[in-house]
Amino acid sequence: MQKHLLKLLDLSREEIHEILDLADQLKYDQKHGIPHDVLKGKTLAMIFSKNSTRTRVSFEVGMFQLGGHALFLSNAVSQISRGEPVQDTARVLSRYCDGIMIRTFEQAEVEGLAKYGTIPVINGLTDFSHPCQVLADLMTIREHKAKLEGLKICYIGDGNNMANSIIVGGLKCGMDVSVACPADYLPHPDVLAFTKTVTDAKFELTQDPMTAAEDADVIFTDVWASMGMEGEAAKRQHDFVGYQVNSELMKVAHGDCMVQHCLPAHRGEEITEEVFEGHANEIFDEAENRLHAQKAVMALLMK
Ligand code: CP
Ligand code: NVA
Protein backbone atom coordinates (compact mmCIF):
# COMPACT_ATOMS: atom_id res chain seq x y z
CA MET A 1 0.00 0.00 0.00
CA GLN A 2 1.15 3.55 -0.79
CA LYS A 3 2.05 5.96 2.00
CA HIS A 4 -0.65 8.44 0.92
CA LEU A 5 -3.94 8.55 -0.98
CA LEU A 6 -3.43 11.53 -3.28
CA LYS A 7 -5.15 10.30 -6.45
CA LEU A 8 -6.26 6.98 -7.96
CA LEU A 9 -3.61 7.27 -10.69
CA ASP A 10 -1.08 6.34 -7.96
CA LEU A 11 -2.79 3.04 -7.05
CA SER A 12 -2.51 -0.39 -8.67
CA ARG A 13 -5.51 -2.67 -9.20
CA GLU A 14 -4.22 -4.84 -6.32
CA GLU A 15 -4.02 -1.86 -3.97
CA ILE A 16 -7.57 -0.80 -4.86
CA HIS A 17 -8.81 -4.33 -4.14
CA GLU A 18 -6.87 -4.40 -0.85
CA ILE A 19 -8.76 -1.26 0.23
CA LEU A 20 -12.13 -2.62 -0.96
CA ASP A 21 -11.62 -5.97 0.78
CA LEU A 22 -10.74 -4.29 4.08
CA ALA A 23 -13.68 -1.89 3.64
CA ASP A 24 -16.04 -4.88 3.31
CA GLN A 25 -14.53 -6.42 6.45
CA LEU A 26 -14.81 -3.17 8.44
CA LYS A 27 -18.41 -2.72 7.30
CA TYR A 28 -19.18 -6.27 8.51
CA ASP A 29 -17.44 -5.59 11.82
CA GLN A 30 -19.32 -2.33 12.33
CA LYS A 31 -22.71 -3.90 11.53
CA HIS A 32 -22.04 -6.84 13.88
CA GLY A 33 -20.63 -4.85 16.80
CA ILE A 34 -17.18 -6.41 16.39
CA PRO A 35 -14.57 -4.01 17.86
CA HIS A 36 -12.00 -2.72 15.37
CA ASP A 37 -10.23 0.09 17.20
CA VAL A 38 -7.05 -0.31 15.16
CA LEU A 39 -6.25 3.43 15.32
CA LYS A 40 -6.57 3.78 19.09
CA GLY A 41 -4.81 6.93 20.27
CA LYS A 42 -4.25 8.26 16.74
CA THR A 43 -5.34 11.65 15.45
CA LEU A 44 -6.44 12.81 11.99
CA ALA A 45 -6.30 16.51 11.07
CA MET A 46 -9.06 17.40 8.59
CA ILE A 47 -8.42 20.54 6.52
CA PHE A 48 -11.45 21.93 4.68
CA SER A 49 -11.15 24.79 2.18
CA LYS A 50 -14.52 23.85 0.63
CA ASN A 51 -17.91 22.84 2.04
CA SER A 52 -18.76 19.24 2.94
CA THR A 53 -21.40 17.08 4.57
CA ARG A 54 -20.43 13.49 3.73
CA THR A 55 -16.66 13.80 3.76
CA ARG A 56 -16.50 15.64 7.05
CA VAL A 57 -18.98 13.41 8.86
CA SER A 58 -17.71 10.10 7.46
CA PHE A 59 -14.05 10.83 8.27
CA GLU A 60 -14.87 12.08 11.77
CA VAL A 61 -17.22 9.19 12.57
CA GLY A 62 -14.83 6.71 10.93
CA MET A 63 -11.89 7.88 12.99
CA PHE A 64 -14.01 7.61 16.17
CA GLN A 65 -15.09 4.06 15.28
CA LEU A 66 -11.44 3.11 14.72
CA GLY A 67 -10.65 4.28 18.24
CA GLY A 68 -8.98 7.54 17.20
CA HIS A 69 -9.85 11.20 17.06
CA ALA A 70 -10.42 13.62 14.18
CA LEU A 71 -10.12 17.38 14.36
CA PHE A 72 -11.79 19.81 12.01
CA LEU A 73 -9.67 22.67 10.65
CA SER A 74 -11.93 24.89 8.60
CA ASN A 75 -10.55 27.52 6.33
CA ALA A 76 -12.27 30.16 8.43
CA VAL A 77 -10.26 29.43 11.57
CA SER A 78 -6.88 28.04 10.52
CA GLN A 79 -3.87 30.06 9.36
CA ILE A 80 -3.98 28.37 5.94
CA SER A 81 -6.44 30.89 4.49
CA ARG A 82 -4.23 33.70 5.83
CA GLY A 83 -1.39 32.43 3.67
CA GLU A 84 0.69 30.09 5.85
CA PRO A 85 2.59 28.03 3.28
CA VAL A 86 1.70 24.38 2.78
CA GLN A 87 5.25 23.28 3.55
CA ASP A 88 4.98 24.81 7.05
CA THR A 89 1.45 23.50 7.69
CA ALA A 90 2.65 20.04 6.67
CA ARG A 91 5.59 20.06 9.07
CA VAL A 92 3.58 21.47 11.99
CA LEU A 93 0.70 18.97 11.63
CA SER A 94 3.26 16.16 11.31
CA ARG A 95 4.49 17.00 14.84
CA TYR A 96 0.99 16.64 16.36
CA CYS A 97 -1.06 14.23 14.27
CA ASP A 98 -0.87 10.81 12.62
CA GLY A 99 -2.59 11.68 9.35
CA ILE A 100 -4.03 14.58 7.35
CA MET A 101 -7.20 14.62 5.27
CA ILE A 102 -7.52 17.68 3.05
CA ARG A 103 -10.29 19.06 0.81
CA THR A 104 -9.11 21.94 -1.31
CA PHE A 105 -8.87 23.40 -4.83
CA GLU A 106 -5.41 22.65 -6.19
CA GLN A 107 -4.14 19.08 -6.42
CA ALA A 108 -0.65 20.60 -5.96
CA GLU A 109 -1.56 21.63 -2.40
CA VAL A 110 -2.34 18.01 -1.50
CA GLU A 111 0.84 16.78 -3.14
CA GLY A 112 2.76 19.53 -1.29
CA LEU A 113 1.46 18.39 2.10
CA ALA A 114 2.64 14.88 1.28
CA LYS A 115 6.03 16.12 0.12
CA TYR A 116 6.82 18.29 3.13
CA GLY A 117 5.04 16.37 5.90
CA THR A 118 6.05 13.05 7.44
CA ILE A 119 2.56 11.58 7.97
CA PRO A 120 0.05 10.07 5.49
CA VAL A 121 -2.06 12.53 3.48
CA ILE A 122 -5.53 11.65 2.17
CA ASN A 123 -7.21 13.64 -0.61
CA GLY A 124 -10.79 14.46 0.43
CA LEU A 125 -11.47 16.18 -2.95
CA THR A 126 -9.59 18.60 -5.15
CA ASP A 127 -10.56 20.16 -8.48
CA PHE A 128 -8.64 17.28 -10.09
CA SER A 129 -9.81 14.23 -8.19
CA HIS A 130 -12.05 12.66 -5.56
CA PRO A 131 -10.40 9.31 -4.82
CA CYS A 132 -12.26 8.51 -1.57
CA GLN A 133 -15.59 8.94 -3.32
CA VAL A 134 -14.69 6.64 -6.17
CA LEU A 135 -13.33 3.96 -3.79
CA ALA A 136 -16.76 4.06 -2.11
CA ASP A 137 -18.42 3.87 -5.54
CA LEU A 138 -16.35 0.82 -6.54
CA MET A 139 -17.23 -0.81 -3.21
CA THR A 140 -20.94 -0.15 -3.85
CA ILE A 141 -20.84 -1.52 -7.40
CA ARG A 142 -19.06 -4.66 -6.20
CA GLU A 143 -21.69 -5.13 -3.46
CA HIS A 144 -24.55 -4.85 -5.95
CA LYS A 145 -23.00 -6.63 -8.95
CA ALA A 146 -20.63 -9.06 -7.15
CA LYS A 147 -17.79 -8.08 -9.52
CA LEU A 148 -16.10 -5.12 -11.19
CA GLU A 149 -14.10 -6.57 -14.06
CA GLY A 150 -16.03 -6.75 -17.32
CA LEU A 151 -18.79 -4.28 -16.35
CA LYS A 152 -19.45 -1.16 -18.40
CA ILE A 153 -19.69 2.09 -16.47
CA CYS A 154 -20.79 5.40 -17.96
CA TYR A 155 -20.41 9.01 -16.80
CA ILE A 156 -22.62 11.82 -18.11
CA GLY A 157 -21.76 15.49 -17.52
CA ASP A 158 -18.85 17.73 -16.60
CA GLY A 159 -15.30 16.40 -17.09
CA ASN A 160 -14.58 17.29 -13.46
CA ASN A 161 -12.93 15.68 -10.42
CA MET A 162 -15.56 12.91 -10.38
CA ALA A 163 -15.20 12.19 -14.10
CA ASN A 164 -11.41 12.04 -13.73
CA SER A 165 -11.57 9.64 -10.78
CA ILE A 166 -14.30 7.41 -12.25
CA ILE A 167 -12.32 7.01 -15.47
CA VAL A 168 -9.12 6.08 -13.64
CA GLY A 169 -10.77 3.90 -10.98
CA GLY A 170 -12.98 2.11 -13.51
CA LEU A 171 -10.23 1.35 -16.00
CA LYS A 172 -7.80 0.28 -13.24
CA CYS A 173 -10.40 -2.26 -12.09
CA GLY A 174 -10.91 -3.68 -15.59
CA MET A 175 -14.21 -1.99 -16.35
CA ASP A 176 -15.09 -0.46 -19.72
CA VAL A 177 -15.68 3.27 -19.24
CA SER A 178 -17.69 5.55 -21.51
CA VAL A 179 -17.97 9.27 -20.90
CA ALA A 180 -20.24 11.90 -22.46
CA CYS A 181 -19.14 15.52 -21.90
CA PRO A 182 -19.68 18.73 -23.87
CA ALA A 183 -16.63 19.53 -26.02
CA ASP A 184 -15.55 22.41 -23.76
CA TYR A 185 -15.76 20.37 -20.55
CA LEU A 186 -13.51 17.37 -21.15
CA PRO A 187 -11.73 15.33 -18.44
CA HIS A 188 -8.17 16.35 -17.46
CA PRO A 189 -5.45 15.75 -20.10
CA ASP A 190 -3.43 13.57 -17.66
CA VAL A 191 -6.46 11.31 -17.29
CA LEU A 192 -7.03 11.14 -21.05
CA ALA A 193 -3.33 10.28 -21.47
CA PHE A 194 -3.75 7.48 -18.90
CA THR A 195 -6.70 6.00 -20.84
CA LYS A 196 -4.35 5.49 -23.80
CA THR A 197 -2.09 3.24 -21.71
CA VAL A 198 -4.87 0.82 -20.72
CA THR A 199 -4.90 -2.46 -22.64
CA ASP A 200 -7.45 -4.66 -20.84
CA ALA A 201 -10.51 -2.37 -20.78
CA LYS A 202 -12.16 0.00 -23.27
CA PHE A 203 -12.49 3.78 -22.96
CA GLU A 204 -14.90 5.85 -25.02
CA LEU A 205 -15.27 9.65 -24.99
CA THR A 206 -18.26 11.14 -26.83
CA GLN A 207 -20.47 14.21 -26.79
CA ASP A 208 -23.58 12.02 -27.10
CA PRO A 209 -25.06 10.81 -23.77
CA MET A 210 -27.19 8.12 -25.51
CA THR A 211 -24.11 6.57 -27.14
CA ALA A 212 -22.25 6.59 -23.83
CA ALA A 213 -25.14 5.01 -21.91
CA GLU A 214 -25.73 2.15 -24.34
CA ASP A 215 -25.60 -1.23 -22.51
CA ALA A 216 -24.18 0.40 -19.37
CA ASP A 217 -24.20 -1.53 -16.08
CA VAL A 218 -23.74 1.63 -14.01
CA ILE A 219 -24.47 5.26 -14.89
CA PHE A 220 -22.82 8.10 -12.96
CA THR A 221 -23.44 11.79 -13.04
CA ASP A 222 -22.43 14.84 -11.00
CA VAL A 223 -23.36 18.51 -10.72
CA TRP A 224 -22.83 20.79 -13.71
CA ALA A 225 -21.09 23.46 -11.60
CA SER A 226 -18.70 22.11 -8.97
CA MET A 227 -17.55 23.94 -5.86
CA GLY A 228 -15.50 26.94 -6.95
CA MET A 229 -17.35 27.20 -10.29
CA GLU A 230 -20.41 28.97 -8.91
CA GLY A 231 -19.64 32.04 -11.06
CA GLU A 232 -20.09 29.91 -14.18
CA ALA A 233 -23.36 28.33 -13.03
CA ALA A 234 -25.63 30.27 -15.43
CA LYS A 235 -23.43 29.56 -18.46
CA ARG A 236 -23.19 25.90 -17.48
CA GLN A 237 -26.99 25.60 -17.14
CA HIS A 238 -27.04 26.43 -20.83
CA ASP A 239 -23.98 24.42 -21.95
CA PHE A 240 -25.08 21.20 -20.22
CA VAL A 241 -28.63 20.99 -21.58
CA GLY A 242 -29.14 17.37 -22.67
CA TYR A 243 -26.46 15.99 -20.30
CA GLN A 244 -29.07 14.65 -17.93
CA VAL A 245 -29.64 11.18 -16.49
CA ASN A 246 -33.36 10.68 -17.18
CA SER A 247 -35.70 7.79 -17.96
CA GLU A 248 -35.07 8.07 -21.72
CA LEU A 249 -31.35 7.64 -21.15
CA MET A 250 -31.90 4.72 -18.76
CA LYS A 251 -33.79 2.85 -21.52
CA VAL A 252 -30.62 2.32 -23.58
CA ALA A 253 -28.69 0.94 -20.59
CA HIS A 254 -29.02 -2.62 -19.23
CA GLY A 255 -32.36 -3.31 -17.52
CA ASP A 256 -30.62 -3.71 -14.15
CA CYS A 257 -28.38 -0.67 -14.62
CA MET A 258 -27.38 1.03 -11.35
CA VAL A 259 -27.22 4.80 -10.87
CA GLN A 260 -24.53 6.43 -8.75
CA HIS A 261 -24.30 10.08 -7.69
CA CYS A 262 -21.65 11.34 -5.25
CA LEU A 263 -24.13 13.95 -3.91
CA PRO A 264 -25.17 16.65 -3.40
CA ALA A 265 -27.55 16.26 -6.39
CA HIS A 266 -29.39 18.94 -8.32
CA ARG A 267 -32.67 17.35 -9.33
CA GLY A 268 -33.94 18.61 -12.66
CA GLU A 269 -30.40 19.42 -13.81
CA GLU A 270 -27.95 16.50 -14.11
CA ILE A 271 -30.54 13.95 -12.91
CA THR A 272 -34.34 13.79 -12.81
CA GLU A 273 -36.26 13.32 -9.58
CA GLU A 274 -37.71 10.09 -11.03
CA VAL A 275 -34.35 8.45 -11.76
CA PHE A 276 -32.85 9.70 -8.49
CA GLU A 277 -35.67 8.32 -6.34
CA GLY A 278 -35.85 5.12 -8.39
CA HIS A 279 -32.21 4.45 -7.55
CA ALA A 280 -32.10 6.06 -4.10
CA ASN A 281 -31.11 2.77 -2.45
CA GLU A 282 -27.97 2.49 -4.56
CA ILE A 283 -27.15 6.19 -4.14
CA PHE A 284 -27.44 6.11 -0.35
CA ASP A 285 -25.50 2.82 -0.16
CA GLU A 286 -22.83 4.76 -2.03
CA ALA A 287 -22.99 7.58 0.52
CA GLU A 288 -22.79 5.08 3.40
CA ASN A 289 -19.81 3.35 1.87
CA ARG A 290 -17.76 6.55 2.12
CA LEU A 291 -17.50 5.66 5.82
CA HIS A 292 -16.32 2.09 5.32
CA ALA A 293 -13.98 2.78 2.39
CA GLN A 294 -12.29 5.66 4.23
CA LYS A 295 -11.93 3.62 7.40
CA ALA A 296 -10.07 1.07 5.29
CA VAL A 297 -7.83 3.77 3.80
CA MET A 298 -7.06 5.22 7.24
CA ALA A 299 -6.42 1.78 8.75
CA LEU A 300 -4.01 0.87 5.94
CA LEU A 301 -2.16 4.19 5.98
CA MET A 302 -2.13 5.16 9.65
CA LYS A 303 -1.83 1.89 11.63
N1 CP B 1 -19.74 13.46 -2.06
C1 CP B 1 -19.13 14.30 -1.22
O1 CP B 1 -17.90 14.42 -1.19
O2 CP B 1 -19.97 14.98 -0.39
P1 CP B 1 -19.61 16.21 0.54
O3 CP B 1 -19.26 17.37 -0.40
O4 CP B 1 -20.84 16.47 1.33
O5 CP B 1 -18.43 15.87 1.39
N1 NVA C 1 -17.79 17.77 -8.49
C1 NVA C 1 -18.33 18.14 -7.21
C2 NVA C 1 -18.28 16.97 -6.27
C3 NVA C 1 -18.84 17.26 -4.90
C4 NVA C 1 -18.72 16.09 -3.97
C5 NVA C 1 -17.57 19.32 -6.65
O1 NVA C 1 -16.33 19.33 -6.76
O2 NVA C 1 -18.20 20.24 -6.11
Side-chain angles (χ1 to χ4, degrees):
M1 180 69 193
Q2 305 271 329
K3 188 170 172 240
H4 307 284
L5 177 60
L6 307 180
K7 54 189 182 299
L8 293 180
L9 278 170
D10 299 335
L11 298 187
S12 65
R13 183 177 300 184
E14 292 68 35
E15 286 170 327
I16 293 174
H17 278 281
E18 184 185 5
I19 295 168
L20 301 185
D21 291 346
L22 182 58
D24 287 346
Q25 178 65 49
L26 290 170
K27 183 170 183 175
Y28 180 90
D29 290 351
Q30 183 63 29
K31 302 265 178 212
H32 292 84
I34 300 169
H36 50 278
D37 53 350
V38 294
L39 295 185
K40 204 168 176 187
K42 306 247 175 169
T43 303
L44 178 77
M46 306 189 297
I47 301 172
F48 282 93
S49 301
K50 288 176 175 171
N51 288 48
S52 170
T53 298
R54 281 145 288 270
T55 304
R56 193 258 166 105
V57 175
S58 55
F59 267 104
E60 189 162 335
V61 169
M63 204 49 197
F64 176 76
Q65 291 177 355
L66 291 169
H69 176 70
L71 56 102
F72 177 62
L73 285 169
S74 90
N75 218 12
V77 297
S78 77
Q79 297 285 7
I80 297 166
S81 59
R82 295 186 59 251
E84 184 162 16
V86 71
Q87 54 267 44
D88 295 356
T89 305
R91 285 177 288 184
V92 169
L93 293 178
S94 296
R95 301 287 179 115
Y96 300 134
C97 303
D98 303 286
I100 303 172
M101 191 288 300
I102 175 166
R103 164 168 287 198
T104 190
F105 295 87
E106 298 285 329
Q107 180 72 21
E109 192 180 341
V110 179
E111 309 265 348
L113 275 180
K115 181 172 174 199
Y116 291 101
T118 54
I119 56 177
V121 174
I122 300 169
N123 178 349
L125 180 147
T126 62
D127 291 345
F128 175 67
S129 60
H130 200 359
C132 292
Q133 179 67 55
V134 170
L135 289 169
D137 300 353
L138 294 170
M139 177 182 178
T140 311
I141 296 168
R142 209 171 69 157
E143 274 178 352
H144 282 258
K145 301 278 185 197
K147 64 173 186 178
L148 295 177
E149 223 168 288
L151 296 178
K152 175 180 173 176
I153 63 173
C154 161
Y155 175 89
I156 307 288
D158 186 19
N160 61 13
N161 43 16
M162 279 303 298
N164 291 334
S165 299
I166 289 164
I167 293 168
V168 174
L171 291 174
K172 288 220 175 205
C173 290
M175 295 191 272
D176 293 340
V177 181
S178 64
V179 172
C181 300
D184 291 340
Y185 298 94
L186 298 184
H188 194 280
D190 290 356
V191 168
L192 295 180
F194 164 74
T195 65
K196 302 216 170 11
T197 68
V198 175
T199 52
D200 61 350
K202 283 186 272 177
F203 176 68
E204 183 185 24
L205 180 61
T206 169
Q207 287 174 42
D208 179 20
M210 285 292 180
T211 304
E214 211 171 305
D215 295 329
D217 296 295
V218 187
I219 293 182
F220 288 81
T221 189
D222 186 17
V223 291
W224 293 342
S226 286
M227 289 182 279
M229 315 265 174
E230 289 80 3
E232 293 179 17
K235 178 174 168 15
R236 285 167 174 262
Q237 292 260 356
H238 171 262
D239 293 350
F240 282 91
V241 167
Y243 289 84
Q244 185 187 61
V245 177
N246 54 37
S247 52
E248 281 308 298
L249 187 90
M250 295 304 297
K251 278 186 197 154
V252 302
H254 274 148
D256 60 353
C257 180
M258 289 172 68
V259 173
Q260 294 280 269
H261 193 309
C262 63
L263 304 174
H266 291 186
R267 291 163 170 81
E269 293 185 13
E270 76 276 4
I271 191 164
T272 59
E273 171 85 14
E274 184 190 4
V275 171
F276 186 96
E277 290 304 336
H279 292 267
N281 249 357
E282 297 151 9
I283 292 169
F284 291 104
D285 280 351
E286 176 188 13
E288 175 184 340
N289 285 338
R290 292 291 303 277
L291 172 69
H292 310 297
Q294 289 159 196
K295 282 169 72 178
V297 168
M298 291 190 287
L300 287 166
L301 292 178
M302 293 169 61
K303 210 153 98 175

Short mmCIF file of all heavy atoms in Angstrom, two decimals, residues 49-72:
data_model
loop_
_atom_site.label_atom_id
_atom_site.label_comp_id
_atom_site.label_asym_id
_atom_site.label_seq_id
_atom_site.Cartn_x
_atom_site.Cartn_y
_atom_site.Cartn_z
N SER A 49 -11.08 23.49 2.85
CA SER A 49 -11.15 24.79 2.18
C SER A 49 -12.41 24.89 1.32
O SER A 49 -12.57 25.85 0.56
CB SER A 49 -9.92 25.01 1.31
OG SER A 49 -8.76 24.95 2.10
N LYS A 50 -13.24 23.84 1.35
CA LYS A 50 -14.52 23.85 0.63
C LYS A 50 -15.57 23.23 1.56
O LYS A 50 -15.20 22.51 2.51
CB LYS A 50 -14.44 22.98 -0.63
CG LYS A 50 -13.62 23.55 -1.77
CD LYS A 50 -13.56 22.55 -2.92
CE LYS A 50 -12.85 23.11 -4.13
NZ LYS A 50 -12.60 22.08 -5.15
N ASN A 51 -16.83 23.41 1.23
CA ASN A 51 -17.91 22.84 2.04
C ASN A 51 -17.92 21.31 1.98
O ASN A 51 -17.35 20.71 1.07
CB ASN A 51 -19.26 23.31 1.50
CG ASN A 51 -19.51 24.76 1.79
OD1 ASN A 51 -18.66 25.60 1.57
ND2 ASN A 51 -20.68 25.05 2.30
N SER A 52 -18.61 20.70 2.94
CA SER A 52 -18.76 19.24 2.94
C SER A 52 -19.81 18.81 3.95
O SER A 52 -19.92 19.40 5.02
CB SER A 52 -17.44 18.56 3.32
OG SER A 52 -17.65 17.19 3.54
N THR A 53 -20.57 17.80 3.60
CA THR A 53 -21.40 17.08 4.57
C THR A 53 -20.83 15.67 4.75
O THR A 53 -20.37 15.29 5.83
CB THR A 53 -22.86 17.01 4.11
OG1 THR A 53 -23.37 18.33 4.02
CG2 THR A 53 -23.72 16.22 5.09
N ARG A 54 -20.83 14.89 3.66
CA ARG A 54 -20.43 13.49 3.73
C ARG A 54 -18.98 13.29 4.15
O ARG A 54 -18.67 12.47 5.02
CB ARG A 54 -20.64 12.79 2.36
CG ARG A 54 -22.07 12.40 2.09
CD ARG A 54 -22.38 12.54 0.63
NE ARG A 54 -22.46 13.95 0.32
CZ ARG A 54 -23.60 14.67 0.39
NH1 ARG A 54 -24.72 14.08 0.68
NH2 ARG A 54 -23.60 15.98 0.17
N THR A 55 -18.08 14.04 3.52
CA THR A 55 -16.66 13.80 3.76
C THR A 55 -16.31 14.12 5.21
O THR A 55 -15.64 13.34 5.89
CB THR A 55 -15.82 14.66 2.79
OG1 THR A 55 -16.25 14.32 1.46
CG2 THR A 55 -14.34 14.39 2.93
N ARG A 56 -16.81 15.25 5.68
CA ARG A 56 -16.50 15.64 7.05
C ARG A 56 -17.06 14.63 8.06
O ARG A 56 -16.35 14.14 8.95
CB ARG A 56 -17.06 17.05 7.33
CG ARG A 56 -16.50 17.68 8.61
CD ARG A 56 -17.49 17.61 9.74
NE ARG A 56 -16.91 17.90 11.03
CZ ARG A 56 -17.09 19.04 11.69
NH1 ARG A 56 -17.76 20.03 11.16
NH2 ARG A 56 -16.60 19.17 12.89
N VAL A 57 -18.34 14.29 7.87
CA VAL A 57 -18.98 13.41 8.86
C VAL A 57 -18.39 12.00 8.78
O VAL A 57 -18.10 11.38 9.81
CB VAL A 57 -20.51 13.39 8.66
CG1 VAL A 57 -21.16 12.39 9.60
CG2 VAL A 57 -21.10 14.78 8.87
N SER A 58 -18.18 11.49 7.57
CA SER A 58 -17.71 10.10 7.46
C SER A 58 -16.27 9.95 7.97
O SER A 58 -15.93 8.93 8.57
CB SER A 58 -17.87 9.57 6.04
OG SER A 58 -17.22 10.40 5.10
N PHE A 59 -15.41 10.93 7.72
CA PHE A 59 -14.05 10.83 8.27
C PHE A 59 -14.07 10.95 9.80
O PHE A 59 -13.35 10.21 10.49
CB PHE A 59 -13.14 11.91 7.68
CG PHE A 59 -12.39 11.43 6.46
CD1 PHE A 59 -12.77 11.83 5.19
CD2 PHE A 59 -11.31 10.57 6.58
CE1 PHE A 59 -12.09 11.38 4.06
CE2 PHE A 59 -10.62 10.12 5.47
CZ PHE A 59 -11.02 10.53 4.20
N GLU A 60 -14.88 11.86 10.32
CA GLU A 60 -14.87 12.08 11.77
C GLU A 60 -15.47 10.86 12.49
O GLU A 60 -14.90 10.36 13.46
CB GLU A 60 -15.64 13.36 12.11
CG GLU A 60 -15.48 13.75 13.56
CD GLU A 60 -15.86 15.21 13.85
OE1 GLU A 60 -15.79 16.06 12.93
OE2 GLU A 60 -16.22 15.49 15.00
N VAL A 61 -16.59 10.37 11.97
CA VAL A 61 -17.22 9.19 12.57
C VAL A 61 -16.30 7.97 12.40
O VAL A 61 -16.12 7.17 13.32
CB VAL A 61 -18.61 8.94 11.93
CG1 VAL A 61 -19.17 7.58 12.32
CG2 VAL A 61 -19.58 10.05 12.32
N GLY A 62 -15.71 7.86 11.21
CA GLY A 62 -14.83 6.71 10.93
C GLY A 62 -13.64 6.68 11.87
O GLY A 62 -13.29 5.62 12.41
N MET A 63 -13.05 7.81 12.09
CA MET A 63 -11.89 7.88 12.99
C MET A 63 -12.32 7.49 14.42
O MET A 63 -11.61 6.75 15.11
CB MET A 63 -11.35 9.30 12.93
CG MET A 63 -9.92 9.49 13.30
SD MET A 63 -8.78 8.36 12.51
CE MET A 63 -7.38 8.57 13.59
N PHE A 64 -13.49 7.96 14.85
CA PHE A 64 -14.01 7.61 16.17
C PHE A 64 -14.22 6.09 16.28
O PHE A 64 -13.82 5.45 17.27
CB PHE A 64 -15.32 8.35 16.43
CG PHE A 64 -15.98 8.00 17.73
CD1 PHE A 64 -15.50 8.50 18.92
CD2 PHE A 64 -17.07 7.14 17.76
CE1 PHE A 64 -16.10 8.15 20.14
CE2 PHE A 64 -17.67 6.78 18.95
CZ PHE A 64 -17.18 7.29 20.15
N GLN A 65 -14.83 5.51 15.24
CA GLN A 65 -15.09 4.06 15.28
C GLN A 65 -13.80 3.24 15.27
O GLN A 65 -13.78 2.11 15.76
CB GLN A 65 -15.98 3.66 14.08
CG GLN A 65 -17.39 4.21 14.20
CD GLN A 65 -18.27 3.89 13.00
OE1 GLN A 65 -17.79 3.32 12.00
NE2 GLN A 65 -19.54 4.24 13.08
N LEU A 66 -12.73 3.81 14.72
CA LEU A 66 -11.44 3.11 14.72
C LEU A 66 -10.66 3.35 16.01
O LEU A 66 -9.52 2.90 16.15
CB LEU A 66 -10.60 3.56 13.50
CG LEU A 66 -11.13 3.11 12.13
CD1 LEU A 66 -10.39 3.84 11.01
CD2 LEU A 66 -11.00 1.60 11.95
N GLY A 67 -11.28 4.07 16.93
CA GLY A 67 -10.65 4.28 18.24
C GLY A 67 -9.81 5.54 18.31
O GLY A 67 -9.17 5.82 19.33
N GLY A 68 -9.79 6.32 17.23
CA GLY A 68 -8.98 7.54 17.20
C GLY A 68 -9.82 8.79 17.30
O GLY A 68 -10.99 8.76 17.70
N HIS A 69 -9.21 9.90 16.92
CA HIS A 69 -9.85 11.20 17.06
C HIS A 69 -9.58 12.01 15.79
O HIS A 69 -8.51 11.92 15.22
CB HIS A 69 -9.24 11.92 18.27
CG HIS A 69 -9.73 13.30 18.46
ND1 HIS A 69 -11.00 13.59 18.87
CD2 HIS A 69 -9.11 14.51 18.29
CE1 HIS A 69 -11.15 14.91 18.95
NE2 HIS A 69 -10.02 15.48 18.60
N ALA A 70 -10.60 12.77 15.35
CA ALA A 70 -10.42 13.62 14.18
C ALA A 70 -10.68 15.06 14.57
O ALA A 70 -11.59 15.34 15.35
CB ALA A 70 -11.39 13.21 13.08
N LEU A 71 -9.86 15.98 14.06
CA LEU A 71 -10.12 17.38 14.36
C LEU A 71 -10.32 18.17 13.08
O LEU A 71 -9.64 17.96 12.09
CB LEU A 71 -9.03 17.97 15.25
CG LEU A 71 -7.60 17.90 14.78
CD1 LEU A 71 -7.18 19.25 14.25
CD2 LEU A 71 -6.74 17.48 15.95
N PHE A 72 -11.29 19.07 13.18
CA PHE A 72 -11.79 19.81 12.01
C PHE A 72 -11.10 21.17 11.93
O PHE A 72 -11.25 22.00 12.82
CB PHE A 72 -13.31 19.97 12.17
CG PHE A 72 -13.97 20.77 11.09
CD1 PHE A 72 -13.94 20.35 9.78
CD2 PHE A 72 -14.63 21.96 11.40
CE1 PHE A 72 -14.57 21.08 8.78
CE2 PHE A 72 -15.27 22.69 10.40
CZ PHE A 72 -15.23 22.25 9.09
#
